[in-house]
Amino acid sequence: SRSGSSTPRNSRASTLTRDEMPPPPLPLNFVNHTMEEHGVIRALDEAGGPSGNQSKVSIQSFQKKDKILRKLFKIVQSGEIPPLAQESDPELNSYLKRIRKIKIKDNILYRDFNGKDLPILPITEYTKVFELYHLPSHLSPSKMIQNILQSFYLYNMNRILRLAVANCDICKKRG
C-alpha cells in the first residue's frame, strides 16, 4: 500500500475515466437544433421523444436519397435476393450477407442488432453522426459506437468511426 493512500491497490479508484462518464445531458432545444442543423434526427420514438413522426420522415428521406439503401429496400420488399457475385458494391454485399436481419417497418429499413430494430442510416450521414456524437465530448470509438447503437445502425461503423477518432486533432493531442 502506498503511503497516504486509503484505497487498496487492487480496488477501483473512485474517479471515472472520460470514457466511463456519461455525457452531460443536453437541453432538449439544443438537441433538436443540433439534430436539425446536422441533418440527423435520432429515432426518439422508443424513448417517447417529441419528434417521433418527424424522425421517421427524416430517416425515410435519408434512406430514399441513398442509392444503396434504395436498392436494398427494393430487394427486401421483393424478397428476391440476388447472389453476392452479381453485386459489385461492398456495402450492398455486406447488407445482403445479413439480409435476414433487415426488415421494412413503416417504410423504413431496420437492422436487427442484438434483438433491437435500428433504423439504417446511409453512409452520407457519417460525418454528421460523428460531429453529433464525438465532437461535443470526444468520446472513445467504443463509447461513441455504444451510444449510436441506441438509435441507429451504420454500415461499417466500427472501422469508419475508429479512423475518424484516430484523425481527430483534439484526441491526437490528448494522446
Side-chain angles (χ1 to χ4, degrees):
S1 173
R2 287 179 261 159
S3 63
S5 172
S6 61
T7 306
R9 191 171 192 201
N10 293 333
S11 76
R12 181 170 170 82
S14 62
T15 58
L16 297 174
T17 66
R18 176 173 49 96
D19 291 337
E20 294 171 318
M21 296 176 70
L26 298 171
L28 188 58
N29 62 349
F30 172 80
V31 173
N32 288 338
H33 169 72
T34 303
M35 289 178 195
E36 290 169 16
E37 177 183 308
H38 289 285
V40 178
I41 305 295
R42 282 180 174 236
L44 293 173
D45 306 337
E46 292 178 8
S51 62
N53 290 333
Q54 182 184 4
S55 66
K56 285 183 179 183
V57 169
S58 298
I59 291 169
Q60 281 176 355
S61 69
F62 290 140
Q63 289 182 351
K64 287 180 181 177
K65 289 177 188 173
D66 186 79
K67 178 182 152 188
I68 297 297
L69 294 184
R70 279 195 319 264
K71 193 168 187 176
L72 181 62
F73 190 93
K74 288 178 185 175
I75 290 169
V76 173
Q77 197 172 39
S78 73
E80 296 175 20
I81 302 162
L84 293 179
Q86 284 183 349
E87 298 301 330
S88 60
D89 190 285
E91 180 184 358
L92 185 57
N93 277 332
S94 176
Y95 286 126
L96 292 177
K97 288 177 188 174
R98 295 160 185 83
I99 197 74
R100 289 190 177 112
K101 293 183 176 248
I102 297 173
K103 64 177 140 188
I104 298 170
K105 198 165 55 173
D106 297 327
N107 286 319
I108 297 174
L109 283 168
Y110 287 85
R111 184 186 188 281
D112 178 323
F113 191 83
N114 294 333
K116 184 175 181 179
D117 289 338
L118 300 172
I120 300 171
L121 283 184
I123 281 184
T124 55
E125 300 304 311
Y126 272 53
T127 301
K128 295 168 187 169
V129 169
F130 180 77
E131 289 170 357
L132 184 63
Y133 283 87
H134 178 71
L135 294 182
S137 56
H138 294 276
L139 295 175
S140 71
S142 57
K143 186 65 174 175
M144 181 175 53
I145 290 167
Q146 179 184 351
N147 289 343
I148 291 168
L149 287 173
Q150 298 302 309
S151 303
F152 303 115
Y153 178 80
L154 302 159
Y155 162 75
N156 213 0
M157 99 174 100
N158 242 341
R159 186 174 67 79
I160 292 170
L161 295 176
R162 287 184 190 284
L163 285 171
V165 170
N167 288 305
C168 172
D169 291 335
I170 292 173
C171 292
K172 279 186 203 177
K173 289 177 185 173
R174 287 184 184 171

